[in-house]
Amino acid sequence: AQSVTQLGSHVSVSEGALVLLRCNYSSSVPPYLFWYVQYPNQGLQLLLKYTTGATLVKGINGFEAEFKKSETSFHLTKPSAHMSDAAEYFCAVSPNTDKLIFGTGTRLQVFP
Amino acid sequence: DAGITQSPRYKITETGRQVTLMCHQTWSHSYMFWYRQDLGHGLRLIYYSAAADITDKGEVPDGYVVSRSKTENFPLTLESATRSQTSVYFCASSEGEGELFFGEGSRLTVL
């Protein structure tokens, strides 16, 4: 069975600081990995995804994530946080992209 | 307008009543999904469908029924609602590339 673990249900950073949201996965087959973002009272939207190829993946709004097979990780980063980045972020894993299993989410707060 | 719409957006019901949450998408995506979102659990997959007349269970299917007679519609029915089914329900659609398009959610309260 596949699963994801997001370390830290809440992360707080100052505006302009590095954002690092952690995700570790468990998969018996080469996984497809995703990060989604949810703004208040909205559905989720895709930030970025890793399927095959380059292990450093760039997404929207300046976010990127690196697939590290040896560490079973897919951490999300952004060099400089903006107030508008405040949201909940979900890591997800899938064996074949037709069904995603989501983590429990990390709420990002950005302070001025 | 194109997109994915859920109705109702808010619903209050009583224990034991039947409730149906509607989901409609205009993209003709093959895949459709129902998730529930609860604090501390993230999103959990209830049911999904790969095409019309094809449905399959997700992680937490007990107490729910789905159907998909048309590609664009994927209703979720709670046959006898329980308090533990109080949640926010999200419908999503996809063409199988892993990019799910989510509706705005249906907030259900079971008293």
Side-chain angles (χ1 to χ4, degrees), chain B:
Chain B
D1 288 346
I4 183 164
T5 55
Q6 294 183 231
S7 62
R9 293 289 315 279
Y10 301 91
K11 175 76 175 178
I12 300 174
T13 191
E14 295 178 335
T15 301
R17 291 192 180 266
Q18 183 179 83
V19 176
T20 296
L21 305 179
M22 305 300 292
C23 180
H24 176 78
Q25 54 113 348
T26 60
W27 294 300
S28 298
H29 285 164
S30 299
Y31 292 91
M32 295 189 75
F33 308 83
W34 275 107
Y35 286 88
R36 60 177 289 174
Q37 184 175 23
D38 305 287
L39 199 61
H41 291 279
L43 276 82
R44 291 180 290 175
L45 182 63
I46 304 170
Y47 270 96
Y48 68 105
S49 168
D53 297 322
I54 300 174
T55 62
D56 207 349
K57 295 178 180 179
E59 304 166 79
V60 289
D62 294 343
Y64 302 96
V65 175
V66 293
S67 63
R68 195 164 176 210
S69 57
K70 294 183 178 181
T71 299
E72 61 267 30
N73 296 325
F74 191 41
L76 176 74
T77 297
L78 290 65
E79 292 191 305
S80 179
T82 65
R83 290 198 180 94
S84 65
Q85 292 177 310
T86 293
S87 186
V88 181
Y89 292 85
F90 285 98
C91 179
S93 70
S94 167
E95 264 308 304
E97 293 291 323
E99 181 167 8
L100 273 59
F101 294 86
F102 283 82
E104 293 186 309
S106 294
R107 184 176 294 274
L108 176 67
T109 301
V110 182
L111 301 176

Side-chain angles (χ1 to χ4, degrees), chain A residues 34 36 38 41-46 49 51 88 90 96-105 107, chain B residues 9 31 33 35 37 40-43 45 48 57 59 90 94 96-100 102-104 107:
Chain A
F34 307 83
Y36 278 76
Q38 183 181 32
N41 298 315
Q42 294 185 25
L44 282 70
Q45 61 186 84
L46 182 68
K49 66 180 180 182
T51 52
E88 187 144 21
F90 292 91
N96 53 17
T97 76
D98 69 346
K99 183 176 68 174
L100 270 60
I101 302 298
F102 286 88
T104 53
R107 183 167 297 277
Chain B
R9 293 289 315 279
Y31 292 91
F33 308 83
Y35 286 88
Q37 184 175 23
H41 291 279
L43 276 82
L45 182 63
Y48 68 105
K57 295 178 180 179
E59 304 166 79
F90 285 98
S94 167
E97 293 291 323
E99 181 167 8
L100 273 59
F102 283 82
E104 293 186 309
R107 184 176 294 274

